[in-house]
Amino acid sequence: MTLKLSIYDEDGKHIARVAEGEYHELTMGVIIDIFDVLKMDEGKVRSIWEINLSLINCYKQVTDILHKQFPDITKEEWRRVKIKDIAKLLFDIVGYTLSEIDTIPTEKN
């Protein structure tokens, strides 16, 4: 799965470049980190406001997680990525990972 992330110009109005990364199977620790950042383990529906607030409060941790998927994005470029793109990307990664789990055979042959 190819991942894409838009990096905007200084004004935040135009896309300066689109970084592409290849999805690498995530370790359990990374999945736990993403769930922790998104507070997905609390068993309640969270508003987009609460999710965005979590992302902002944990942005350093989020960029550390995503840097493994996008090693060519610089520290300065991470500051020019829109929060909605980060949230969508994290949900896409978690969704893809969970869908991969569904492909594991559960019946004995």
Side-chain angles (χ1 to χ4, degrees):
M1 172 170 108
T2 301
L3 303 172
K4 295 183 180 187
L5 191 59
S6 297
I7 300 169
Y8 290 81
D9 61 11
E10 294 294 327
D11 296 333
K13 295 179 181 177
H14 300 81
I15 296 172
R17 79 177 183 102
V18 176
E20 289 192 13
E22 196 61 36
Y23 172 82
H24 300 285
E25 188 171 349
L26 301 178
T27 63
M28 195 62 199
V30 173
I31 293 293
I32 289 169
D33 289 346
I34 291 172
F35 272 64
D36 187 46
V37 166
L38 297 176
K39 306 284 188 230
M40 294 177 71
D41 59 344
E42 293 180 357
K44 68 175 186 167
V45 177
R46 299 181 70 224
S47 71
I48 194 66
W49 172 254
E50 291 171 311
I51 291 169
N52 285 339
L53 192 56
S54 294
L55 288 173
I56 291 166
N57 288 332
C58 300
Y59 199 64
K60 168 82 171 91
Q61 184 180 6
V62 169
T63 57
D64 287 348
I65 292 167
L66 292 177
H67 187 70
K68 295 170 187 164
Q69 309 300 317
F70 297 96
D72 66 326
I73 295 180
T74 66
K75 193 174 187 177
E76 177 56 36
E77 287 176 322
W78 280 115
R79 297 178 61 85
R80 298 193 331 256
V81 175
K82 294 193 175 181
I83 194 76
K84 68 178 183 172
D85 296 338
I86 293 286
K88 181 181 181 320
L89 184 64
L90 287 174
F91 280 114
D92 287 347
I93 289 171
V94 169
Y96 182 80
T97 301
L98 294 176
S99 71
E100 287 292 297
I101 292 171
D102 285 342
T103 66
I104 298 170
T106 57
E107 295 180 17
K108 293 181 182 180
N109 290 333

